[in-house]
Amino acid sequence: MFDAEADQSTAMLDESGVVRLMQKLNSNIAPTRVQQKVKEIELKRQDPSIKGQLNTEEFITLFKEVSTRPEIYFLLVRYASNADYLTTDDLLLFLEAEQGMTRVTKEKCIEIINEYEPSKDGKKKGQLGIDGFTQFLLSDECNLFEPEHRDVCQDMSQPLCHYFISSSHNTYLMKDQLQGPSSTEAYINALDKGCRCLELDCWDGPNDEPMIYHGHTFTSKITFKSVIQTINEYAFNFSKFPVILSIENHCSIKQQKTMANYMTTIFGDKLYCDKVDENASCLPPLESLVDKVLIKGKKLDLHTESDEGMVTDEDEGAESEKKKNNKSREGSIKKHKLAKELSDLVNYCVSKRFKDFQMSQHSQKYWEMCSFSENTALKLAMACPEEFVNHNKRFLSRIYPNGMRVDSSNYNPQDLWNCGCQMVALNYQTAGLMMDLYNGFFLKNGACGFVLKPAIMREEIAYFSANTKDVIPGVSPQILHIKVISGQHFPKPKGSGSRGDVTDPYVTVEIFGIPADCAEERTKTVPHNGINPIFDESFEFQINLPELALVRFAVLDDDYIGDEFIGQYTIPFECMQTGYRHITMLSASGDPIENCSLFVHVAITNKRGGGKTHRRGMSVKKTKRKKDYTSMKSVGVKSVDETFKVAIQPLRDGTDLRDSVQLALAEFKEICGLSPIANIKQCIRLLATRVSNSSEQASLNLVMKGDYPYLEAQGNLPDILKKALIHFDELVAECKNLIDQADGVYERLIHSQRAGLEWHEDLENVCTNAGLKGKKLTKAMENFAWNIRVLKGQADLLMQAKHDCKEYLRQIVETSGSTGLRKESEADDDDLEIQNSPL
């Protein structure tokens, strides 16, 4: 390739040709770095007359220097069986042991080699060298984001109120709230980002044309008609799921009729005009609203025959009016006339003033929804988080920024998601941390603008407070291990001074979620190196409610005065892939930064036994410490409590079975000298390697006894390997024990749950008759919900553990074959050969 590009007379390549060929061979090499290295080569030359050109040897040396990353080279060497390249077997082991891929075929490995290996010889021999391996790790196949969530993958048949909905505040504004321009472009931008709830602030305009702008300010105006036309054109380009138009109506009756006419004629069949089913008990399922536009606003009485009527102002108008009058009586809120034509377009998103949760529980209709300012919502979230969550199980809630945010700044949406609020509206036009979180959160589920809430926020018999420090019933805490390895091509912060400035980067890793999950860690600063800084630091986080957790990586400059931000990437915890991953960093505006990435390793493990997590170097040996079991809570009614008492023993049995497997697995990893985040395949590979490298004449055979794999040694093994085999046998025995007993314990747990559910319909009366009232009655209801949730959750965890055990055994069999361990089976007729084992 060099000869084809070089000058035929001199056999040399000029600087621009060097940059061009370098990028052809490796598109991730920064041109500025190549140019700098060419100048360094010139300075070292004995003949100073040759400038701006390289010969073949100089080019090869330069290419190796700028393209070979030591951290990737050492990773390759760890898995290369013989030389500085990966064979198909080596690559297969890396993909399964490190990248978490299951049942990888050699055909897939050959496909990867043919795709990423630059040399023809490597492709021909089925070998992946350092350049090909680097390209593979930088490709989309090693992206941190889970491919499953690139498409809609959640249950979309739930009622509309069971989803978080991507929502915009004052969507028409491009900048601030006082004098910023209004534009239809703002609606296009929001829809392109997956927004599904848009705000239209409507006022009377000239020539009977309704206008959209921020009232009583100097913002510019756009016609209502142009906005409806824009929404009609772009509403379903990015997502097929419904768009909700939040109408802030300040118009006269005449212009309200004009608004209704525009929406009816322009949207046509897209406009969802079905009448409310008064006999139903919940909002329609999301999947029934595909390609539909819903209108949120005030509505006249369902059975009115009048052409118009009086309604109270709601939403932001009501909030500001209440503050202005400083009154709370009913008459303090301004009323206005509403045209029946506009009222008829509103069905399942009817605006209603919020009084308190008790009033909503008894009188609010399921098709009615309340809007809250961020201050009001945050006060409710702090004072009564449980009631807020329960309210949002049945009703929609919309939260909007305080009116004092004239600069269009944003509040933290996480605080309101934690209470189950569906429409947490932000100012989309304002970039920053809060929009980073928002955009990251709605990457889930194909970025369709709807994210299913956690089950504990949806189920009728469930109790949840975001502020709880207890284990969440039915949810298994996860341990997130992140190793920040290196960075590539970090630019100077925006607005940096002289061109010669260097970057002193460091990385922060933040967890956003329920308060118990929030945490932050940072790496050391790497001085004067923004090109290829090596961090090599590990962090560990406990995630108690994975479905609400976000992980944010940020790169900052420690030596910069002012805004030190370089780039960030925010991802839902559930969308993270494990293994070695590159993260493309995003700018403050959310755009990818060219060639700028972070190289990390991610592992996710379950929390063992309710105690502290096992860290490297800490013993995992059994202790006599009393075990903490998940327990039943007292309802305070003897007959009900007796029903739950029978669940105490199966709860303990299930916990013992799961803990015994996890302890055996941890001890096996420790005796193998591996960290807790290692997987079973790495353990087997390590044992096979140590046996083959042993000075003693020894071998390991995989023996199938029924459906279960065992390792048997022949010859003299070192003591450390003998101990490892003892722990291996213990692990298989504990897996077998759990698999054998799981179904029985599961049935006992589910039987207890069903028996408890029989009290549900009449529970309040039963508790009242037992003399419980006030706070005691509330606590009894909460404890009942806890018990029901715990029983189902613990039963599900046990069946997941059974699945995990079968997967461990399958991996043992599979890895033993790929590492060359001899396969044998017992002589009994009932025993199965490896290839016939269902594992």
Side-chain angles (χ1 to χ4, degrees):
M1 292 181 73
F2 180 88
D3 292 340
E5 297 282 341
D7 186 303
Q8 299 300 314
S9 60
T10 62
M12 300 187 80
L13 196 59
D14 62 22
E15 185 179 287
S16 61
V18 169
V19 172
R20 192 167 52 250
L21 184 54
M22 284 278 184
Q23 291 202 299
K24 186 182 292 186
L25 292 169
N26 186 343
S27 60
N28 294 290
I29 296 176
T32 53
R33 192 178 179 213
V34 175
Q35 291 163 352
Q36 179 186 346
K37 291 293 180 181
V38 169
K39 289 181 173 58
E40 289 177 8
I41 291 173
E42 289 176 4
L43 293 173
K44 294 176 183 177
R45 277 206 190 107
Q46 293 182 352
D47 185 356
S49 63
I50 304 175
K51 292 185 177 181
Q53 292 181 314
L54 299 184
N55 60 34
T56 305
E57 291 181 4
E58 290 170 333
F59 179 86
I60 293 172
T61 301
L62 175 58
F63 179 76
K64 287 181 178 179
E65 182 179 350
V66 297
S67 67
T68 300
R69 288 169 43 189
E71 72 276 24
I72 293 182
Y73 177 76
F74 291 135
L75 177 61
L76 179 142
V77 170
R78 274 176 52 198
Y79 278 87
S81 51
N82 296 307
D84 295 346
Y85 59 81
L86 298 176
T87 65
T88 52
D89 287 340
D90 297 335
L91 180 58
L92 187 149
L93 189 60
F94 171 78
L95 295 176
E96 293 202 323
E98 293 289 1
Q99 303 301 85
M101 296 174 65
T102 56
R103 308 191 182 194
V104 183
T105 62
K106 287 195 175 182
E107 288 71 24
K108 173 62 178 176
C109 296
I110 292 171
E111 182 183 314
I112 289 172
I113 292 171
N114 289 334
E115 175 74 19
Y116 299 105
E117 173 56 40
S119 72
K120 293 180 180 179
D121 191 49
K123 290 179 180 179
K124 185 177 180 181
K125 294 179 179 178
Q127 297 169 352
L128 190 65
I130 182 61
D131 296 325
F133 189 47
T134 302
Q135 287 295 93
F136 170 65
L137 289 174
L138 283 163
S139 72
D140 279 345
E141 294 195 54
C142 292
N143 195 294
L144 181 64
F145 196 84
E146 170 62 58
E148 179 189 6
H149 274 278
R150 295 189 188 280
D151 301 311
V152 174
C153 57
Q154 294 182 334
D155 178 8
M156 306 305 271
S157 65
Q158 297 282 323
L160 185 61
C161 53
H162 285 182
Y163 298 87
F164 296 113
I165 304 170
S166 181
S167 305
S168 167
H169 172 252
N170 287 358
T171 314
Y172 47 89
L173 290 177
M174 298 291 285
K175 292 184 180 178
D176 64 75
Q177 311 280 313
L178 290 180
Q179 51 189 2
S182 303
S183 171
T184 55
E185 190 70 27
Y187 286 93
I188 298 172
N189 292 340
L191 288 167
D192 284 348
K193 290 179 180 178
C195 183
R196 306 321 283 164
C197 179
L198 309 170
E199 186 174 6
L200 290 77
D201 213 344
C202 308
W203 299 80
D204 279 352
N207 304 318
D208 293 330
E209 283 289 337
M211 305 297 290
I212 290 178
Y213 64 98
H214 199 205
H216 311 300
T217 67
F218 298 103
T219 60
S220 63
K221 304 174 182 180
I222 50 178
T223 64
F224 179 84
K225 182 179 181 180
S226 67
V227 170
I228 297 302
Q229 290 173 328
T230 300
I231 294 171
N232 183 59
E233 182 177 354
Y234 291 92
F236 304 107
N237 288 356
F238 196 83
S239 171
K240 67 179 182 179
F241 292 98
V243 169
I244 300 170
L245 304 187
S246 180
I247 303 291
E248 293 290 327
N249 175 24
H250 307 279
C251 293
S252 63
I253 288 292
K254 185 175 182 181
Q255 296 207 17
Q256 287 180 38
K257 291 180 180 180
T258 302
M259 290 163 56
N261 179 58
Y262 283 148
M263 288 191 283
T264 303
T265 55
I266 294 173
F267 288 137
D269 292 340
K270 295 176 187 174
L271 192 61
Y272 190 76
C273 296
D274 291 11
K275 290 186 177 181
V276 166
D277 183 355
E278 296 183 64
N279 296 318
S281 59
C282 65
L283 289 165
L286 180 58
E287 63 187 4
S288 69
L289 303 173
V290 166
D291 292 331
K292 294 296 181 183
V293 176
L294 279 71
I295 308 301
K296 172 197 167 294
K298 292 298 294 183
K299 188 173 182 66
L300 300 174
D301 184 88
L302 289 177
H303 306 292
T304 186
E305 298 295 330
S306 175
D307 289 340
E308 60 184 59
M310 298 299 292
V311 293
T312 57
D313 277 340
E314 300 295 352
D315 306 326
E316 297 174 53
E319 190 80 16
S320 60
E321 194 72 25
K322 182 184 282 190
K323 288 180 179 178
K324 187 190 299 181
N325 294 326
N326 196 25
K327 299 176 182 177
S328 59
R329 64 181 185 270
E330 182 70 22
S332 68
I333 299 298
K334 183 182 175 183
K335 294 187 177 183
H336 70 265
K337 288 183 178 181
L338 178 64
K340 189 174 188 298
E341 289 87 343
L342 188 58
S343 171
D344 287 346
L345 301 186
V346 181
N347 40 34
Y348 288 110
C349 298
V350 178
S351 296
K352 179 180 177 65
R353 187 183 311 155
F354 177 80
K355 293 183 179 179
D356 57 54
F357 290 124
Q358 288 72 30
M359 183 70 73
S360 293
Q361 183 180 355
H362 290 104
S363 64
Q364 186 171 335
K365 305 294 190 296
Y366 74 87
W367 60 82
E368 295 175 329
M369 62 174 290
C370 301
S371 291
F372 308 84
S373 71
E374 67 175 275
N375 276 359
T376 301
L378 288 172
K379 286 176 183 176
L380 292 171
M382 291 299 294
C384 36
E386 304 90 349
E387 288 90 335
F388 213 169
V389 170
N390 286 333
H391 174 86
N392 289 322
K393 289 178 183 178
R394 189 174 181 217
F395 307 115
L396 289 170
S397 292
R398 178 177 177 270
I399 318 299
Y400 57 88
N402 284 336
M404 298 300 291
R405 293 185 180 272
V406 294
D407 59 349
S408 293
S409 59
N410 284 311
Y411 56 95
N412 189 342
Q414 190 78 53
D415 297 330
L416 285 314
W417 289 329
N418 291 345
C419 292
C421 297
Q422 298 88 350
M423 302 178 187
V424 182
L426 293 194
N427 294 304
Y428 268 53
Q429 71 273 30
T430 306
L433 171 60
M434 301 314 166
M435 275 310 297
D436 292 343
L437 299 180
Y438 209 83
N439 292 331
F441 186 79
F442 283 103
L443 287 173
K444 248 193 234 188
N445 201 28
C448 72
F450 289 86
V451 171
L452 186 64
K453 294 199 285 187
I456 200 166
M457 289 183 163
R458 294 183 276 116
E459 295 173 354
E460 182 182 357
I461 309 177
Y463 167 80
F464 173 72
S465 168
N467 299 327
T468 183
K469 294 182 180 178
D470 295 331
V471 172
I472 299 171
V475 180
S476 177
Q478 305 286 298
I479 306 300
L480 172 63
H481 312 259
I482 293 178
K483 184 176 185 180
V484 180
I485 302 170
S486 65
Q488 294 76 46
H489 308 298
F490 293 154
K492 293 182 286 292
K494 189 175 181 181
S496 182
S498 65
R499 295 181 62 185
D501 284 355
V502 293
T503 303
D504 295 346
Y506 68 95
V507 179
T508 63
V509 183
E510 296 174 89
I511 308 298
F512 294 85
I514 62 173
D517 290 348
C518 293
E520 180 178 359
E521 298 283 358
R522 63 157 286 175
T523 67
K524 64 180 181 294
T525 298
V526 178
H528 313 308
N529 187 352
I531 298 296
N532 55 353
I534 301 294
F535 300 101
D536 198 32
E537 291 190 57
S538 298
F539 308 110
E540 187 175 280
F541 306 93
Q542 178 170 315
I543 311 295
N544 294 286
L545 188 54
E547 290 163 287
L548 286 187
L550 292 168
V551 183
R552 185 174 189 261
F553 300 87
V555 180
L556 304 109
D557 186 358
D558 206 10
D559 193 41
Y560 183 65
I561 299 174
D563 186 2
E564 58 181 357
F565 176 84
I566 293 174
Q568 68 84 32
Y569 183 74
T570 305
I571 183 172
F573 171 78
E574 289 194 312
C575 296
M576 295 179 76
Q577 293 200 92
T578 57
Y580 288 93
R581 307 287 169 183
H582 277 91
I583 303 169
T584 298
M585 304 309 292
L586 305 179
S587 67
S589 60
D591 299 316
I593 305 173
E594 188 177 7
N595 293 327
C596 178
S597 62
L598 200 61
F599 187 40
V600 301
H601 181 269
V602 176
I604 299 171
T605 57
N606 288 328
K607 184 169 179 287
R608 287 190 302 110
K612 289 186 177 179
T613 57
H614 168 221
R615 299 172 185 265
R616 183 183 292 208
M618 292 176 59
S619 175
V620 296
K621 293 180 180 177
K622 298 176 183 177
T623 68
K624 294 183 179 180
R625 182 177 63 83
K626 185 178 179 181
K627 186 177 292 186
D628 293 325
Y629 290 101
T630 303
S631 60
M632 294 285 94
K633 293 187 176 182
S634 173
V635 175
V637 179
K638 185 177 180 181
S639 53
V640 179
D641 288 335
E642 288 293 331
T643 303
F644 288 121
K645 271 187 181 179
V646 299
I648 293 174
Q649 192 56 50
L651 279 173
R652 292 188 170 209
D653 292 344
T655 301
D656 287 341
L657 288 170
R658 290 188 290 113
D659 283 0
S660 295
V661 170
Q662 289 303 312
L663 184 61
L665 182 60
E667 290 178 336
F668 180 49
K669 291 177 183 179
E670 186 176 62
I671 198 69
C672 289
L674 295 173
S675 71
I677 65 174
N679 58 45
I680 201 77
K681 291 189 175 186
Q682 290 167 306
C683 296
I684 300 301
R685 176 177 179 267
L686 190 66
L687 284 182
T689 302
R690 286 179 177 173
V691 170
S692 64
N693 293 339
S694 173
S695 57
E696 305 288 343
Q697 291 295 320
S699 64
L700 276 182
N701 298 327
L702 178 72
V703 178
M704 295 300 296
K705 298 180 180 179
D707 290 343
Y708 297 92
Y710 292 87
L711 294 176
E712 292 187 355
Q714 293 184 352
N716 296 320
L717 285 181
D719 288 343
I720 188 66
L721 289 179
K722 290 179 181 177
K723 289 180 180 179
L725 291 184
I726 292 172
H727 284 290
F728 174 83
D729 289 344
E730 289 177 356
L731 172 60
V732 173
E734 294 296 352
C735 287
K736 183 178 186 302
N737 188 39
L738 187 146
I739 291 170
D740 290 344
Q741 297 191 45
D743 289 343
V745 177
Y746 175 84
E747 287 301 325
R748 288 158 63 198
L749 290 171
I750 293 300
H751 176 77
S752 298
Q753 188 216 20
R754 288 171 182 159
L757 282 171
E758 292 180 5
W759 292 102
H760 173 57
E761 293 288 337
D762 203 37
L763 181 63
E764 190 168 350
N765 289 333
V766 171
C767 291
T768 303
N769 293 336
L772 302 179
K773 57 184 178 180
K775 290 185 178 179
K776 288 186 177 180
L777 176 59
T778 302
K779 192 64 178 175
M781 303 294 284
E782 291 172 0
N783 287 354
F784 177 83
W786 164 277
N787 292 344
I788 293 296
R789 180 80 189 169
V790 160
L791 289 171
K792 179 65 167 66
Q794 292 295 305
D796 289 345
L797 287 176
L798 184 59
M799 296 314 289
Q800 179 60 47
K802 179 182 177 182
H803 175 272
D804 291 343
C805 285
K806 288 186 174 182
E807 180 62 19
Y808 297 153
L809 299 174
R810 186 194 69 79
Q811 289 182 18
I812 290 169
V813 174
E814 195 171 271
T815 310
S816 297
S818 65
T819 52
L821 296 184
R822 201 166 62 191
K823 297 173 284 187
E824 297 180 359
S825 61
E826 294 264 303
D828 294 343
D829 292 336
D830 294 336
D831 291 342
L832 299 176
E833 295 285 346
I834 284 176
Q835 55 268 36
N836 295 326
S837 170
L839 299 172

